[in-house]
Amino acid sequence: MPVSKIYARRLAVLASSATLTLTGLLTTAPAAQAAMPTPVSAATARTYLAALTVKAEGSTSGYSRDLFPHWITQSGTCNTRETVLKRDGVNVVTDSSCAATSGSWYSPYDGATWTLASDLDIDHMVPLAEAWRSGANTWTTAQRQAFANDLTRPQLIAVTDNVNQAKGDLDPAKWLPSVTSYRCTYTRAWVQVKYYYNLSVDSAEKSALQSVLNGC
């Protein structure tokens, strides 16, 4: 990320903190909470995890994000990204093309709050490349499109853009949210998505998931 953007963000965070301190609101809960569909319980996630096929991860040979068409139109002029931004934010205002022009978004991965939609990415809980290596390489384009735009399962969530980019296509054995209190929710969602789509897990991934879920 350019140094200028990082610096600008730090200034924004400092200014926001100063404002909150002056108004006595610094200790209140975040105003905007992401409204991703609630994942299954930890007990159910453990049952689902036990049922998943464990196998070595496949390769990314032949993979392309274009094989997972997104973002598709959801309603009117709103595509999937715009729909998630409106769902996950507070006081979101959109223009005639459904682009968010103002609002507030809380990123549960890192605990940051943003007021510019451009600072948010829509994370695929189970990344597209990870899905490809876990079985989606055999799917039809229609199946991959449904997966990439799934608003029913806990598969899409608005988060800080550079945090999502740091996650990339890593599974929970290699990446988990820095906000440790969110890891239980994260792993429950991950397992639910993999179970619903009948995707496999590798042994390290399963161990990492079990470790978190056992503490939920």
Side-chain angles (χ1 to χ4, degrees):
M1 178 181 294
V3 173
S4 60
K5 188 169 184 182
I6 295 174
Y7 183 66
R9 286 191 172 181
R10 287 176 178 168
L11 285 179
V13 170
L14 287 172
S16 176
S17 294
T19 301
L20 288 171
T21 301
L22 288 172
T23 57
L25 298 175
L26 189 59
T27 58
T28 62
Q33 291 285 352
M36 176 182 75
T38 302
V40 296
S41 68
T44 298
R46 286 191 287 268
T47 299
Y48 283 0
L49 181 58
L52 292 179
T53 298
V54 180
K55 60 187 293 188
E57 198 169 76
S59 75
T60 52
S61 176
Y63 168 74
S64 168
R65 287 181 67 86
D66 293 339
L67 295 173
F68 293 78
H70 66 291
W71 304 110
I72 63 171
T73 299
Q74 291 291 341
S75 64
T77 60
C78 301
N79 66 23
T80 307
R81 171 183 164 82
E82 293 157 348
T83 300
V84 174
L85 284 173
K86 189 170 183 178
R87 181 198 72 187
D88 288 4
V90 166
N91 299 325
V92 177
V93 176
T94 57
D95 60 22
S96 59
S97 63
C98 203
T101 57
S102 64
S104 177
W105 293 268
Y106 174 73
S107 170
Y109 288 4
D110 59 332
T113 298
W114 305 105
T115 55
L116 291 176
S118 58
D119 285 321
L120 283 299
D121 275 357
I122 306 305
D123 179 41
H124 288 95
M125 177 62 63
V126 175
L128 305 183
E130 164 66 21
W132 179 271
R133 296 189 298 263
S134 305
N137 61 313
T138 66
W139 293 353
T140 64
T141 299
Q143 288 173 310
R144 288 193 285 263
Q145 177 175 293
F147 175 82
N149 297 275
D150 189 352
L151 295 171
T152 304
R153 263 65 52 183
Q155 164 66 347
L156 299 172
I157 184 172
V159 297
T160 304
D161 55 3
N162 56 308
V163 172
N164 180 54
Q165 291 151 24
K167 170 184 171 178
D169 64 352
L170 302 178
D171 69 36
K174 303 182 180 79
W175 189 92
L176 286 168
S178 60
V179 176
T180 55
S181 60
Y182 193 72
R183 291 180 179 179
C184 183
T185 300
Y186 185 86
T187 54
R188 284 157 47 208
W190 181 284
V191 171
Q192 180 179 346
V193 171
K194 281 226 161 175
Y195 180 83
Y196 180 82
Y197 286 98
N198 196 29
L199 295 170
S200 63
V201 290
D202 62 49
S203 57
E205 176 187 355
K206 182 174 182 178
S207 294
L209 290 165
Q210 284 178 323
S211 179
V212 176
L213 290 173
N214 286 341
C216 291

